[in-house]
Amino acid sequence: MAAQVIPVENFDLVIIGGTGDLAKRKILPGLYRRMCAGQMPEDARIIAAARTDISQSEYIAMVKKSLEDFVKSKKRNEKKIAEFLKRISYIKLDALGTEGWKELAGSLRKDVIHAFYFSVGPSLFAPLAERLLKYKITDDKTRIVVEKPFGRDLESAKALNEELAHSFHEDQIFRIDHYLGKETVQNLMALRFANALFEPLWNSMHIDHVQITVAESLGVEGRGAYYDKSGAIRDMVQNHLMQLLCLTAMEPPAVFDAASVRDEKLKVIKALEPIQDDDVIRGQYRADGKGTSYPDESGNPDTTTESYIAMKVILSNWRWVGTPFYLRTGKKLRNRMSEIAIIFKDPPHSIFKDSNDLKGNVLTIRLQPDEGVNLSMTIKEPGPGGMRLTEVPLDMTFAEALGDDETGIPDAYERLIMDVIRGDQTLFMRGDEVEAAWAWVDPIIKQWAENPTKPAGYDAGSNGPDDSLMLLHKDGRRWREITL
Ligand code: BG6
């Protein structure tokens, strides 16, 4: 089943922070793949800008290397790479000064979309936005893309929103949460709103609880200094897990457009109950004998930052009252596995006398690895010998369903960048949404800051701290396995 590729309008995309890690790992390889898929107009151009003092040819060599490193070999093609590199130019730019700005202004074409990807730290967002305005680089078709972290609390997020609003309208600001670009995350909306099967059951009458897991097997690697100031709550919960929760819990929007979808997500965040202290478990990984511990990796032996968090979240609205959402995320866990699991209620009565413990169905939306949807069903065990029941999975793996498509499933970033060019904000966070998420998360962080305690230890490669088991045990439930 080959995916349909609709080319976007012609564009000049400026990557500010063009020598950075995100540009090398995600943005440039993603753009290359979109070009190969036929989605980029023939003369769409990429202008990379950064502080680094390198020549055009040195930058091109760097891009070539990042394509070698981050594009699968079967998708690399010398001719296509040469074609891609021709589209790229490099400008030395000082985000806080004057150098490079006139050159940047002069290098942009009229009558094409201008998108500026701020692939830099949030402290540079406002100075960059101001300079774009000052050097008259912007027009109504201009878009800016900003990366997370969008602030570190409600106050800083508000300040950032206000600063950006001096230079841009809300419909020009694309706040990225790359989880929204993941294939399965969007499929969650298709599953819910394009099929009549699930929506009548999608409520607390039929759903016992929901588990949202984003487990990572890697540690904080080289990002210890950043991560130690953020912890799992700022790095993952306020944004990625919150978005997954919103898409799972929201009401059907009247139409699938940016305003309607984001209005519904905002209502979910506003319906979140303040979190109870004993409904949050924090953890920190210990060394597993072979590796290093979180305090080693963060370079802070006394750190009280969590590398794992599990929480029970309650939504106070008609649809969800009585159905808790359990969220967990952590680094150095058993496997890299992310999923949303909808655990339906058990059948109310068993007519099968030998099987009085019938289990509820579980609908699993798997984000990674092996993106897909799985529904566990109870059927009769095949063969003679009475009515014995067994559970089987009804499995739909998107990777397989789209397997013969030459371009495969696009990476979240490449999909989102194309949405920026199209001007489609459905999969981006609106300013009020980000603020509402911080407003919910802030009191939790404040409470930890006022009563600092060391998070519970867990072994690297495990399922997380034992205390997190209790979070569900006390409600008579258990976590799903973190398996591949
Ligand atoms: C990032 C976080 O936003 O998401 C990282 O800062 C995390 O700490 C990453 O590892 C996870 O993304 P993915 O797509 O690999 O699940």
Side-chain angles (χ1 to χ4, degrees):
M1 187 184 13
Q4 200 190 355
V5 175
I6 302 168
V8 294
E9 254 187 78
N10 203 0
F11 64 85
D12 282 348
L13 170 69
V14 182
I15 310 172
I16 302 180
T19 52
D21 213 39
L22 184 71
K24 288 195 231 169
R25 282 173 183 273
K26 296 286 181 186
I27 305 174
L28 291 159
L31 286 164
Y32 167 77
R33 285 190 292 263
R34 287 297 88 203
M35 185 200 78
C36 295
Q39 199 159 24
M40 261 162 87
E42 257 174 36
D43 56 348
R45 293 183 331 173
I46 299 153
I47 299 156
R51 257 186 327 200
T52 324
D53 196 5
I54 47 171
S55 65
Q56 166 79 7
S57 56
E58 283 168 321
Y59 188 72
I60 295 294
M62 196 203 85
V63 178
K64 212 168 165 202
K65 169 88 174 47
S66 56
L67 297 185
E68 275 158 25
D69 292 346
F70 301 112
V71 176
K72 285 198 182 113
S73 58
K74 68 175 188 207
K75 300 227 175 100
R76 285 199 310 261
N77 165 319
E78 286 310 315
K79 227 173 112 204
K80 292 272 183 205
I81 291 181
E83 189 191 322
F84 183 70
L85 296 177
K86 272 200 214 131
R87 297 163 180 264
I88 300 182
S89 52
Y90 181 76
I91 294 179
K92 180 167 185 265
L93 185 85
D94 182 357
L96 297 171
T98 54
E99 188 182 6
W101 285 95
K102 285 198 177 132
E103 195 188 338
L104 176 60
S107 71
L108 296 170
R109 294 170 297 171
K110 289 205 167 46
D111 305 325
V112 297
I113 305 277
H114 295 161
F116 297 87
Y117 199 127
F118 293 1
S119 180
V120 291
S123 62
L124 294 181
F125 293 172
L128 287 172
E130 271 167 32
R131 279 166 181 73
L132 287 176
L133 205 66
K134 179 170 159 201
Y135 288 91
K136 299 196 173 38
I137 300 180
T138 59
D139 61 24
D140 283 352
K141 279 185 149 188
T142 302
R143 286 112 212 230
I144 60 163
V145 186
V146 294
E147 264 297 327
K148 71 170 263 271
F150 197 86
R152 52 177 290 105
D153 52 21
L154 177 59
E155 202 186 326
S156 54
K158 270 188 173 162
L160 213 46
N161 275 333
E162 278 165 24
E163 281 163 358
L164 292 180
H166 289 152
S167 312
F168 295 99
H169 302 299
E170 179 61 32
D171 62 6
Q172 296 181 288
I173 306 170
F174 288 70
R175 296 174 194 79
I176 278 211
D177 183 315
H178 77 279
Y179 265 60
L180 290 176
K182 290 186 188 274
E183 183 71 19
T184 343
V185 174
Q186 292 165 71
N187 242 305
L188 174 59
M189 286 187 277
L191 192 77
R192 286 190 58 192
F193 306 133
N195 296 282
L197 189 63
F198 296 111
E199 207 44 31
L201 307 178
W202 209 262
N203 55 51
S204 58
M205 298 259 287
H206 302 284
I207 295 177
D208 179 71
H209 71 284
V210 176
Q211 293 187 19
I212 301 182
T213 302
V214 178
E216 298 186 85
S217 52
L218 293 178
V220 290
E221 310 294 299
R223 298 164 71 230
Y226 148 78
Y227 191 90
D228 207 44
K229 293 202 187 72
S230 304
I233 193 154
R234 286 192 173 98
D235 187 52
M236 299 294 289
V237 175
Q238 186 273 344
N239 36 71
H240 304 325
L241 275 87
M242 181 67 80
Q243 290 298 322
L244 300 182
L245 169 71
C246 284
L247 295 180
T248 310
M250 73 182 187
E251 294 300 314
V255 281
F256 186 66
D257 66 17
S260 313
V261 170
R262 298 192 297 178
D263 284 349
E264 294 306 335
K265 286 198 292 166
L266 182 62
K267 286 184 208 161
V268 172
I269 305 176
K270 289 194 167 165
L272 293 174
E273 286 282 321
I275 204 98
Q276 299 302 313
D277 199 23
D278 53 356
D279 282 343
V280 188
I281 305 297
R282 305 165 76 219
Q284 205 180 69
Y285 57 84
R286 298 186 278 250
D288 62 356
K290 290 175 271 170
T292 44
S293 66
Y294 176 75
D296 297 334
E297 286 189 18
S298 66
N300 178 4
D302 303 318
T303 178
T304 56
T305 300
E306 74 288 348
S307 59
Y308 174 98
I309 187 167
M311 56 211 309
K312 175 179 172 183
V313 176
I314 303 292
L315 268 159
S316 276
N317 61 20
W318 274 50
R319 187 187 282 260
W320 292 117
V321 70
T323 296
F325 283 66
Y326 298 96
L327 316 184
R328 65 180 161 166
T329 182
K331 301 226 178 252
K332 281 259 173 108
L333 294 174
R334 168 158 295 157
N335 286 303
R336 177 174 186 255
M337 184 282 264
S338 302
E339 65 171 33
I340 300 168
I342 314 291
I343 292 94
F344 286 90
K345 291 194 168 162
D346 295 345
H349 164 70
S350 176
I351 64 166
F352 306 106
K353 58 179 182 330
D354 295 338
S355 311
N356 50 9
D357 60 341
L358 291 185
K359 292 207 185 79
N361 304 98
V362 180
L363 177 71
T364 316
I365 296 121
R366 178 66 83 111
L367 275 63
Q368 56 204 22
D370 298 331
E371 292 127 316
V373 175
N374 178 298
L375 179 64
S376 76
M377 304 279 294
T378 303
I379 60 159
K380 179 192 163 294
E381 211 175 82
M387 194 64 169
R388 287 191 309 270
L389 301 177
T390 185
E391 275 177 68
V392 289
L394 271 182
D395 210 345
M396 189 173 91
T397 307
F398 304 142
E400 260 170 35
L402 298 173
D404 60 352
D405 173 15
E406 192 212 325
T407 55
I409 295 181
D411 171 81
Y413 276 93
E414 60 191 89
R415 175 195 311 272
L416 293 174
I417 295 170
M418 291 298 109
D419 280 356
V420 172
I421 307 297
R422 287 193 199 97
D424 183 348
Q425 292 188 306
T426 313
L427 299 176
F428 294 82
M429 292 177 297
R430 205 166 56 193
D432 52 0
E433 209 184 318
V434 178
E435 288 181 15
W438 279 121
W440 183 73
V441 153
D442 269 3
I444 311 171
I445 301 175
K446 192 163 164 249
Q447 139 81 13
W448 297 342
E450 282 164 4
N451 308 290
T453 50
K454 192 104 176 144
Y458 63 93
D459 292 336
S462 71
N463 288 324
D466 292 342
D467 291 359
S468 71
L469 303 179
M470 283 315 295
L471 187 68
L472 271 75
H473 276 187
K474 67 184 185 194
D475 292 345
R477 301 180 173 113
R478 53 192 295 194
W479 287 112
R480 290 167 52 77
E481 294 290 325
I482 302 184
T483 51
L484 290 180

